[in-house]
Amino acid sequence: MNQADQATLMAIPLFSDLPVSVIEHLAEVGFVQAQPADAVLFQEGEDPRFLHVILSGRVALCCSAGGTEARGVARQTVVEIFNAGDVVIAPAVLLNRPYLLAAQILEPGRIAFLPATYMRELLETNQGFAREAALMLARHWRLLARQLKDQKLRSAPQRLARYLLSITRDQRSGPVQVEISLDRRTLASWLGMSPENLSRSIAQLAELGVHFRGRAVSIDSIARLHAYCAEDDLV
Amino acid sequence: MNQADQATLMAIPLFSDLPVSVIEHLAEVGFVQAQPADAVLFQEGEDPRFLHVILSGRVALCCSAGGTEARGVARQTVVEIFNAGDVVIAPAVLLNRPYLLAAQILEPGRIAFLPATYMRELLETNQGFAREAALMLARHWRLLARQLKDQKLRSAPQRLARYLLSITRDQRSGPVQVEISLDRRTLASWLGMSPENLSRSIAQLAELGVHFRGRAVSIDSIARLHAYCAEDDLV
DNA sequence: CGGTTGTTTGAGGACGTTCAAGTACTGTGG
DNA sequence: CCACAGTACTTGAACGTCCTCAAACAACCG
């Protein structure tokens, strides 16, 4: 692991509190790989051997309905998307249990591979690491909780509206321009709908003053979107 | 907090590693309340003031689509159900952020209220607590991940089948008798369907050799259920 | 026995998926 | 520079699943 990667790692909360000796040991036992698009970090069902940290690029957590699928084709869905600075599925690593989801590279980047056994050891021995791990997992739990909530009681266009609001987290009202950083197929899967239905949802939001031009989106009124998707403003 | 409650608390992994002095302090600053059915521990949006631990009884994590609901009536759903020995939504407490979900007593029981500030302090100062908190949150994350997966790519009857399998976790095949510990309305909400649709799902599973008599369920073949809902066996 | 509550059943409709066709947007080689 | 393929996105129609509403039914309790 080179100096730059090491510096990137240390900037992440989970590692920022570790003593230099530990960081250096991590840099020794761990390694960094540049990953091309669509590369698979691990499959669901695999036993975790590394804790994966995204130094750059993006990673999608996917899953497919395993085994004998009733309707023929195996369906697949994107559960979560992680960015640079995020840690990919610590739960499986810390508990030493098989992954529930697969991880696939969405945008090529550099991924740090840190040995799972050493991470579990750190959890036992290092106060700061254990604390930051708990806080990180707490944040990740809230991400999933929000997703599940959206999935269970909001319609497809509402979920799209929520996504748009989530990428304009700073502003509370007024007009805004944003860029969508995902292709439609992936976004549709993440939001829990078919690509066709995403298209229709996009068309539907036009009535609310939301206009798509490729990946650029212009929103006339943030407040109007909030009202539409019954946003509860909880972060 | 009396001796019995204190003993119950200490049997929970999250607290089992704490020194006696800390436990005693917890027993002093915290308290226990017997909660009747339908009592609300907290609402979504509230700031957490206590970490709630279930000494006995059951608690449902619910949420309603806040604000101006499009279709008129505010929809509500059960996201997760916790039992005796479980800790209710540590994430909000540890992060000191508003609850994303409300908690409601499903089955009356005794609930320990531990001051949130002290729990956050423990996370800073106590290695064992931080570690167990991380492990607990990791398990909770996996619960939600499995739910989200079910929600996104399984049909209503499949989700019911998965629920049945989850309460027969010991056996891998063969016939089984189980008891459902929830009323239909709550179960339906938890599984993400209307009570009517739960009824229909029950009727549908009869073809697979699953028979309901009140809350008692007899399953002819576990293996057949596994195959039906494309169970991937990941725990 | 009526009242209340919870479950079942049926009909109609809304939302979302699938399939199929059509359109726009890439890059490639002539 | 343009024809071409290949891909991504959109649009339309048919279908399926699930929800809603309404009524029938069962169970429980006064």
Side-chain angles (χ1 to χ4, degrees), chain A residues 68-186:
Chain A
T68 34
E69 179 60 24
R71 302 172 212 162
V73 191
R75 292 161 54 82
Q76 216 226 358
T77 192
V78 172
V79 169
E80 194 62 272
I81 290 177
F82 285 120
N83 301 293
D86 284 330
V87 175
V88 183
I89 323 201
V93 175
L94 298 183
L95 294 172
N96 197 18
R97 288 178 166 275
Y99 286 114
L100 293 177
L101 298 87
Q104 192 174 13
I105 302 290
L106 217 59
E107 234 174 63
R110 297 177 68 74
I111 308 290
F113 290 64
L114 310 177
T117 51
Y118 185 59
M119 300 322 284
R120 289 193 287 270
E121 200 178 298
L122 265 186
L123 188 71
E124 294 289 337
T125 56
N126 190 292
Q127 161 70 31
F129 181 79
R131 182 194 64 226
E132 290 303 325
L135 292 175
M136 181 189 70
L137 287 165
R139 279 187 294 269
H140 284 189
W141 189 88
R142 285 167 71 88
L143 288 178
L144 277 202
R146 209 169 294 120
Q147 284 235 26
L148 195 49
K149 211 167 141 179
D150 282 355
Q151 204 60 44
K152 284 181 87 168
L153 40 75
R154 277 189 246 265
S155 70
Q158 279 179 326
R159 291 199 296 275
L160 172 59
R162 290 261 299 166
Y163 167 76
L164 292 176
L165 288 172
S166 77
I167 56 175
T168 59
R169 265 281 165 233
D170 36 356
Q171 275 194 258
R172 307 247 35 69
S173 61
V176 157
Q177 309 281 331
V178 284
E179 282 281 326
I180 293 181
S181 53
L182 298 166
D183 64 305
R184 298 262 156 112
R185 165 184 301 278
T186 308

Side-chain angles (χ1 to χ4, degrees), chain B residues 71 183-185 195-200 202-203:
Chain B
R71 302 171 211 162
D183 65 303
R184 297 262 160 111
R185 166 184 300 279
E196 295 94 326
N197 206 28
L198 174 57
S199 233
R200 288 183 247 268
I202 287 173

Side-chain angles (χ1 to χ4, degrees), chain A residues 183-185 195-196 199-200 202-203:
Chain A
D183 64 305
R184 298 262 156 112
R185 165 184 301 278
E196 294 94 327
S199 240
R200 288 182 246 270
I202 287 172

Side-chain angles (χ1 to χ4, degrees), chain A residues 45-61:
Chain A
E46 266 182 37
D47 283 318
R49 296 185 303 136
F50 299 100
L51 183 71
H52 301 265
V53 182
I54 310 176
L55 301 177
S56 63
R58 319 182 79 196
V59 173
L61 266 43

Side-chain angles (χ1 to χ4, degrees), chain B residues 83-95:
Chain B
N83 301 293
D86 285 331
V87 175
V88 183
I89 324 200
V93 174
L94 298 183
L95 294 171

